[in-house]
Amino acid sequence: METYVNDYKKEEDEMMWELHEIRNGLWNEIKNLNTDEINKRSQVVLEKWKKESTL
């Protein structure tokens, strides 16, 4: 994932600022994982969502 400078100040564009913060947090969680590990975690999340959506 390419990193970039957050050109948005919260006061200027709160939505873009929030998106940047979310993406930055996600990147910090996965930056040291290989693609197989990322995919395995993604499958776990998807299965959890499927189970929750059928309740």
Side-chain angles (χ1 to χ4, degrees):
M1 180 181 198
E2 185 176 328
T3 59
Y4 60 95
V5 176
N6 185 6
D7 292 336
Y8 299 96
K9 292 183 175 75
K10 186 173 184 178
E11 297 78 23
E12 294 173 338
D13 192 332
E14 191 167 346
M15 178 71 73
M16 292 303 292
W17 183 83
E18 286 292 335
L19 286 172
H20 170 79
E21 292 297 310
I22 291 166
R23 289 184 68 196
N24 190 42
L26 290 171
W27 175 242
N28 286 331
E29 288 182 26
I30 67 168
K31 66 184 173 186
N32 295 321
L33 301 177
N34 65 39
T35 54
D36 288 334
E37 292 170 322
I38 293 170
N39 287 336
K40 286 177 187 175
R41 287 183 180 199
S42 298
Q43 290 297 322
V44 169
V45 170
L46 288 173
E47 289 301 318
K48 180 181 174 188
W49 287 351
K50 284 180 185 178
K51 287 179 184 176
E52 289 175 358
S53 69
T54 59
L55 296 177

